[in-house]
């Protein structure tokens, strides 16, 4: 097995074991006698020996190290993150195409030299192709131009070596998306631990399924004092570990520091001074270097891990083996066998875990049996076809950072080295993906990787046994949110999860998911639209971004580009893909109508059929182009073709399952008495309107009304509420035209040019329908208001 550091999802591994990056920055320095910007060899040897004695395992260099420095790093078992320094955009006076070509050429030359010097050295973790291109420079030269050049340099590293490649970014250019980075690096100087924690959780979202490394953090001792530096570093490094970052390199090793050939004085970011005498911060960094996750807390709560299995002999050994390697100090494993007919039970008995042999009753009953048998304060669920990282439970427990958090989950990543179809399914829609409402809060966490407070899970009744194969995790999450609990998300609590290994199995799964969605519409009607699709308040991550070059992300630059944090506000390409997938099922009735009309009336109607089929093919082709297979993919074209086809087929099969399913009505709903709480009132009001047959919409955050109710296509009642003096409820109802009215009026205007009588009749019919809708809406709204807040004043 190679000793090289590799990427394992959101973290690093070395020799098959978890490997947290613990390092410091080294340089930049004033040039020595041989013109290399490093200290003399004896000083480097002394520095590297001191780093190793502290327990550090990585040194980050801003320039390509000479051979003696690389040899000394290997001698002291220090990994090197190599930076390349070359002519870049900051040296160009004019943002022209020629300038871009010069920068690219200089970068490729620097990469070639770095690969020649570092290639084959297992102690070189990777090459950083750039560092902190200023945001104003990026905006002048063009975001796309800078992204493309940096992406070319990353690709060059991969083509010429087996080294990892990255770009060192910072918050002001967070919007830069460098293709195919192995891990993302950010320089972040935030002294407030709470602010740092929020931002690092945000970076976990930016990184997706890649490791996050903080390549600069620290505090200037000559400005704030040495004691303050040590205290601040201790807090910052704890936050790095708590938020699941793959590691950090503290800025910097020494106060000896040079820029552009001149020494820098007066800051003192080093954990040693210019004479290499250690400051108090060095002890803090040494403690961090030796500290494992278990050292973040003096005590850890007991956790019960439940594994539910039904005929899982192919994967359960891998799953239980990963749990046996977990490093959490206090946990139990309960295997709930749901009446398996294969060797699942025999395999489970080989491990020192509890085995519950249950009659076959479905996934929900098995999960409830595990909950009932659990002795831990928290109950975690891991699917039998998944396996967890050794630090999985640490990160799940750490995400319960607030008493309002009742549940949490983490990412489930594809299995490396999976068969061809499983790799394609992993890139296709409908997988078990999280729905995030913020950087660390979720609306739903998938059942293959989730954890609950046991008492809260029992309070909501556990998992509803009516959901036998899917939907139970969604039902519980929504119940918790309805009870005003929060669901957290731990980005580093990763598991590897097998996808379906055959196209038939994948489509059968999607049909089952559709059936489960139909069942959920009865218990949670407010969370579905009129065609039965879930209306998520959060963002579903994953899938191919269609036409990313045409739908570039919206970036918040701030006034005249001056914002110190410039995040991506919205990824429009991903939303376009979601909308395209939602519209695919509509093609079936259109094709059927076109075929019937073509046979009965005129062959010209077959043109409609051809247009729809061509649109579906174009959608599949667009997805195939947008998909990004991994570099090691042996058959990328074949994979793209299958993923494109599955993107077309999945919505059809899911819709079919939805149509075949039966809604499960919510049981035991009671109307609470008026409490003076406006949020409880709004929820009760929405439920009452739905009971009356109204379609209810929640207002977007930029609208001045709270709820919208409708009973037809033409009119909606928009309700605005308030609680005034003495906790008295008050409301205002305004009627507004819906999109159906505007569409009908537009059709009537066109008809008026040719058939004025038909247009007049259509307008009259719409007017009568609108009046009837208003009368019914008025009655429904008044009744709902009277039921939920009897003393409410109503203005219409």
């Amino acid at each position: 097995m190679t000793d090289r550091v590799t990427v394992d999802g959101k973290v690093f591994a070395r020799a098959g074991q978890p490997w947290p990056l613990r390092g410091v920055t080294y340089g930049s320095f004033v040039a020595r006698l041989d013109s290399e910007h490093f200290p003399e060899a004896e000083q480097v040897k002394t520095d590297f020996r001191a780093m190793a004695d502290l327990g550090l395992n990585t040194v980050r260099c801003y320039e390509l190290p000479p051979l003696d420095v690389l040899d000394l790093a290997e001698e002291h078992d220090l990994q090197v993150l190599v930076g390349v320094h070359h002519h870049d955009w900051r040296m160009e006076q004019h943002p022209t195409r020629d300038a871009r070509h010069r920068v690219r050429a200089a970068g490729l030359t620097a990469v070639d030299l770095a690969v020649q010097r570092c290639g084959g050295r297992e102690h070189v973790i990777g090459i950083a192709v750039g560092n902190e291109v200023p945001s104003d420079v990026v905006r002048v030269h063009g975001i796309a131009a800078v992204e493309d050049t940096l992406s070319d340099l990353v690709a060059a590293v991969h083509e010429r070596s087996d080294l990892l490649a990255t770009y060192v970014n910072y918050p002001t250019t967070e919007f830069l998306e460098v293709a195919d980075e192995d891990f993302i690096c950010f320089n972040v100087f935030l002294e407030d631990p709470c602010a740092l924690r929020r931002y690092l959780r945000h970076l976990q979202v930016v990184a997706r399924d890649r490791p996050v490394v903080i390549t600069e953090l620290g505090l200037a001792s000559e400005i704030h004092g040495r004691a303050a530096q040590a205290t601040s570093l201790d807090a910052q490094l704890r936050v790095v570990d708590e938020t699941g970052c793959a590691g950090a390199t503290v800025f910097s090793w020494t106060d000896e520091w040079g820029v552009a050939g001149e020494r820098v004085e007066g800051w003192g970011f080093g954990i040693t001074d210019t004479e290499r005498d250690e400051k108090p911060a060095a002890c803090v960094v040494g403690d961090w270097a030796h500290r494992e996750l278990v050292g973040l807390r003096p005590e850890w709560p007991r956790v019960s891990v439940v594994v539910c299995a039904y005929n899982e002999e192919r994967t359960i050994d891998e799953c239980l083996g990963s749990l046996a390697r977990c490093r959490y100090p206090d946990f139990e494993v309960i295997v709930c066998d749901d009446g398996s007919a294969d060797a699942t039970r025999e395999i489970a008995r080989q491990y020192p875990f509890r085995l519950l042999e249950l009659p076959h009753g479905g996934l929900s009953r098995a999960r409830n049996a595990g909950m009932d048998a659990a002795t831990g304060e928290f109950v975690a669920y891991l699917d039998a076809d998944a396996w967890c990282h050794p630090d999985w439970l640490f990160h799940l427990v750490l995400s319960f950072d607030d008493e309002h958090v009742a549940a949490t989950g983490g990412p489930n990543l594809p299995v490396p080295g999976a068969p061809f179809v499983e790799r394609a399914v992993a890139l296709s829609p409908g997988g078990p993906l999280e729905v995030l409402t913020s950087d660390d809060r979720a609306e739903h966490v998938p059942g293959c990787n989730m954890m609950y407070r046991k008492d809260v899970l029992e309070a909501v009744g556990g998992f509803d046994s009516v959901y036998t194969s899917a939907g139970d995790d969604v039902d519980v999450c929504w119940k918790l949110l309805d009870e005003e609990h929060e669901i957290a998300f731990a980005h580093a609590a990763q598991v590897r999860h097998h996808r379906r290994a055959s196209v038939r199995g994948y489509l059968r799964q999607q049909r089952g998911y559709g059936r489960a969605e139909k069942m959920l519409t009865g218990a949670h009607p407010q969370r579905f639209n009129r065609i039965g699709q879930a209306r998520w308040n959060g963002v579903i991550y994953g899938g191919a971004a269609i036409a990313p070059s045409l739908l570039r992300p919206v970036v918040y630059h701030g006034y005249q580009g001056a914002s110190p944090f410039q995040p991506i506000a919205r990824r429009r390409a991903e939303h376009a893909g979601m909308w395209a997938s939602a519209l695919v099922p509509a093609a079936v009735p259109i094709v059927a109508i076109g075929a019937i009309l073509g046979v009965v009336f005129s062959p010209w109607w077959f043109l409609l059929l051809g247009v729809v089929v061509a649109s579906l093919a174009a959608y599949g082709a667009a997805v195939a182009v947008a998909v990004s297979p991994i570099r090691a993919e042996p058959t990328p074209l074949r994979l793209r073709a299958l993923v494109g086809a599955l993107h077309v087929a999945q919505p059809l099969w899911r819709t079919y399952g939805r149509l075949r399913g039966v809604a499960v009505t919510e049981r035991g709903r009671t109307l609470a008495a008026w409490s003076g709480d406006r949020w409880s009132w709004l929820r009760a009001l929405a439920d009452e309107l739905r009971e009356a047959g109204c379609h209810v919409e929640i207002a977007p955050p930029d609208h001045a009304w709270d709820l919208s109710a409708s009973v037809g296509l033409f009119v909606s009642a928009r309700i605005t509420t308030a609680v005034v003096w003495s906790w008295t409820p008050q409301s205002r109802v305004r009627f507004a035209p819906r999109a159906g009215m505007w569409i009908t009026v537009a059709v009537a205007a066109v008809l008026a040019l040719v058939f004025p009588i038909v247009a007049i009749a259509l307008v009259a019919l719409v007017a009568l329908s609108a009046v009837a809708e208003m009368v019914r809406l008025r009655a429904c709204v008044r009744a709902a208001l009277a039921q939920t807040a009897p003393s409410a004043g109503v203005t219409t």
Side-chain angles (χ1 to χ4, degrees):
M1 180 179 292
T2 179
D3 199 39
R4 184 180 294 280
V5 173
T6 58
V7 170
D8 178 16
K10 300 285 290 183
V11 295
F12 292 117
R14 188 179 185 186
Q17 298 298 317
W19 186 84
L21 190 153
R22 300 284 190 260
V24 289
T25 65
Y26 196 58
S28 56
F29 298 100
V30 176
R32 64 190 188 186
L33 294 178
D34 60 0
S35 299
E36 296 285 359
H37 289 81
F38 285 85
E40 296 297 335
E42 282 302 316
Q43 183 62 66
V44 174
K45 183 175 183 179
T46 300
D47 289 339
F48 284 4
R49 183 188 302 116
M51 293 178 193
D53 289 344
L54 277 180
L56 298 171
N57 58 26
T58 303
V59 55
R60 179 198 172 194
C61 301
Y62 292 87
E63 298 189 25
L64 178 61
L67 292 176
D68 63 316
V69 173
L70 291 173
D71 291 339
L72 287 168
E74 184 174 13
E75 179 183 328
H76 293 89
D77 196 22
L78 291 173
Q79 293 285 321
V80 183
L81 177 57
V82 174
V84 293
H85 184 71
H86 59 86
H87 177 93
D88 69 9
W89 297 271
R90 284 165 283 204
M91 291 84 166
E92 291 289 344
Q93 297 296 316
H94 304 288
T96 62
R97 182 175 297 179
D98 289 341
R100 176 183 175 184
H101 291 330
R102 285 192 294 270
V103 171
R104 183 178 183 276
L108 290 175
T109 300
V111 166
D112 283 340
L113 181 59
V115 168
Q116 291 173 12
R117 189 174 296 179
C118 301
R121 291 180 178 264
E122 291 192 346
H123 69 286
V124 175
I125 188 173
I127 296 177
V129 299
N131 179 69
E132 282 192 14
V133 180
S135 60
D136 53 349
V137 175
V138 172
R139 293 170 73 236
V140 167
H141 285 269
I143 296 174
V146 175
E147 286 179 341
D148 292 345
T149 301
L150 291 172
S151 298
D152 289 344
L153 298 183
V154 167
V157 174
H158 290 148
E159 291 169 2
R160 294 160 170 77
S161 71
D162 57 355
L163 297 170
L164 303 179
T166 186
Y167 164 70
V168 179
N169 208 338
Y170 74 130
T172 317
T173 54
E174 178 194 309
F175 52 81
L176 287 176
E177 296 189 11
V178 181
D180 216 16
E181 284 183 288
D182 294 294
F183 56 100
I184 72 164
C185 295
F186 267 77
N187 300 332
V188 182
F189 289 92
L190 283 172
E191 301 169 21
D192 179 12
C194 294
L196 180 63
R197 182 177 291 105
R198 287 193 299 269
Y199 189 65
L200 297 192
R201 286 173 174 170
H202 172 67
L203 287 185
Q204 292 283 13
V205 176
V206 173
R208 300 292 183 93
D209 58 354
R210 295 168 296 180
V212 176
V213 177
I214 307 306
T215 37
E216 285 183 10
L217 77 167
L219 194 73
S221 63
E222 293 191 23
I223 295 175
H224 301 276
R226 293 191 172 191
Q229 180 194 32
T231 301
S232 179
L233 261 179
D234 181 59
Q236 293 179 53
L237 293 172
R238 285 182 176 275
V239 170
V240 166
D241 291 342
E242 290 170 358
T243 53
C245 294
T249 54
V250 175
F251 186 79
S252 62
W253 172 249
T254 174
D255 285 347
E256 181 186 344
W257 186 25
V259 175
E262 300 291 334
R263 291 188 180 274
V264 177
E265 306 286 349
W267 283 19
F269 273 97
I271 61 173
T272 68
D273 60 23
T274 56
E275 302 300 322
R276 302 313 197 262
D277 292 329
E278 292 185 353
K279 303 177 186 178
C283 294
V284 168
V285 172
D287 291 342
W288 166 66
H290 288 95
R291 184 176 63 223
E292 297 182 349
L293 286 176
V294 70
L296 290 176
R297 289 187 177 182
E299 294 182 357
W300 293 87
R302 182 168 175 78
V303 174
S304 299
V305 180
V306 177
V307 177
C308 300
Y310 176 65
N311 293 337
E312 296 287 357
E313 64 178 3
R314 185 175 65 92
T315 58
I316 193 168
D317 186 53
E318 201 171 36
C319 171
L320 300 182
S322 70
L323 288 169
R325 293 187 295 272
C326 268
R327 304 192 290 192
Y328 191 81
D330 186 11
F331 75 103
E332 65 174 347
V333 177
I334 304 170
V335 181
C336 299
D337 181 78
D338 187 29
S340 295
D342 61 3
T344 298
R345 296 183 182 181
E346 287 71 22
I347 297 172
R349 291 193 185 101
Q350 298 174 12
Y351 290 88
F353 303 144
R354 295 174 62 189
L355 174 62
L356 302 183
E357 300 184 21
L358 308 171
H360 183 55
L363 179 59
S364 297
R365 291 184 180 179
R367 284 176 171 168
N368 284 336
M371 175 188 68
D372 294 337
T375 62
E377 178 183 347
F378 296 95
V379 183
Y381 290 89
L382 178 68
D383 277 3
D385 59 351
W387 77 83
C388 64
H389 187 271
D391 293 330
W392 172 57
L393 291 175
F394 284 113
H395 293 294
L396 288 178
V397 171
L398 285 170
S399 64
F400 284 90
D401 57 352
D402 188 297
E403 62 180 5
H404 296 102
V405 174
T408 189
N412 64 102
L413 308 178
V415 172
F420 171 74
V421 173
E422 188 172 333
R423 298 198 303 272
V425 169
L427 295 170
S428 301
L433 299 174
E434 63 272 10
V435 182
L436 300 186
T437 56
S438 67
D439 295 329
D440 62 348
R441 290 295 182 266
E443 184 178 358
H444 167 250
V445 289
C448 58
N449 183 6
M450 59 186 182
M451 177 184 283
Y452 299 91
R453 296 186 191 272
K454 183 184 177 184
D455 57 346
V456 178
L457 183 59
E458 290 175 330
V460 298
F463 298 91
D464 196 330
S465 60
V466 72
Y467 304 99
T468 57
S469 60
D472 56 335
D473 51 346
V474 179
D475 176 64
V476 166
C477 286
W478 283 345
K479 284 179 180 177
L480 292 175
L481 294 176
D482 290 342
E483 295 290 333
E484 299 187 353
H485 295 292
E486 294 181 1
I487 301 172
F489 191 78
H491 295 273
Q494 68 180 37
V495 304
R496 296 285 186 173
H497 186 210
H498 282 283
R499 271 49 173 182
R500 293 297 185 265
S502 69
V503 173
R504 182 179 180 182
Y506 168 69
L507 295 178
R508 188 187 302 118
Q509 177 196 50
Q510 297 307 308
R511 185 179 62 191
Y513 284 172
R515 189 182 299 115
E517 283 179 340
K518 181 63 176 181
M519 296 168 68
L520 287 164
T521 58
H524 307 275
Q526 74 277 16
R527 298 187 182 274
F528 290 85
N529 59 24
R530 287 179 179 270
I531 61 175
Q533 290 181 320
R535 301 175 56 182
W536 300 105
N537 295 319
V539 177
I540 302 175
Y541 285 90
I546 302 173
S549 60
L550 298 177
L551 298 171
R552 297 194 65 83
V554 176
V555 180
Y556 176 81
H557 291 288
Y559 179 67
Q560 296 182 340
S563 176
F565 294 81
Q566 299 191 10
I568 295 173
R570 185 185 178 204
R571 300 176 183 269
R572 296 179 292 175
E574 293 169 358
H575 287 267
M578 292 170 60
W579 275 106
S581 179
L583 293 175
V584 166
V588 174
I590 296 176
V591 167
I593 292 172
I596 294 172
L597 294 177
V599 171
V600 176
F601 293 102
S602 170
W604 285 102
W605 283 105
F606 285 112
L607 182 62
L608 175 64
L609 187 151
V611 169
V612 174
V613 173
S615 299
L616 291 177
Y619 169 57
V623 170
V625 172
V627 165
S628 298
I630 61 173
R631 292 193 309 277
E633 172 58 45
T635 57
L637 293 179
R638 183 174 169 226
L639 183 79
R640 289 175 183 271
L642 180 56
V643 172
L646 292 180
H647 269 72
V648 175
Q650 184 267 348
L652 300 176
W653 257 257
R654 194 145 181 164
T655 301
Y656 175 69
R658 196 179 298 127
L659 294 174
R660 293 290 301 271
V662 178
V664 178
T665 58
E666 187 178 9
R667 290 160 286 185
R669 186 177 71 87
T670 58
L671 194 65
W674 171 252
S675 63
D677 178 46
R678 193 168 72 92
W679 309 113
S680 300
W681 177 27
L682 283 171
R683 286 195 298 273
L685 181 59
D687 290 341
E688 282 298 305
L689 289 170
R690 293 187 187 97
E691 288 289 324
C694 298
H695 173 68
V696 179
E697 294 183 4
I698 309 298
D702 57 341
H703 286 55
W705 44 274
D706 300 322
L707 298 174
S708 173
S710 59
V711 292
L713 298 175
F714 305 118
V715 180
S716 64
R718 293 177 176 175
I719 306 170
T720 308
T721 61
V723 176
V724 295
W725 186 251
S726 299
W727 306 111
T728 303
Q730 195 174 76
S731 63
R732 184 188 70 190
V733 181
R734 292 287 186 268
F735 293 102
R738 300 193 70 206
M741 177 173 289
W742 298 120
I743 293 173
T744 308
V745 169
V747 171
V750 174
L751 289 174
L753 301 176
V754 184
F755 304 109
I757 295 178
V758 175
I760 293 173
L762 181 60
V763 171
L765 180 62
V766 170
L768 290 174
S769 299
V771 170
E773 288 181 19
M774 290 177 62
V775 172
R776 183 182 171 191
L777 271 176
R778 185 188 296 272
C780 290
V781 171
R782 285 183 175 274
L785 288 171
Q787 184 73 7
T788 55
S791 59
V794 182
T795 303
T796 58

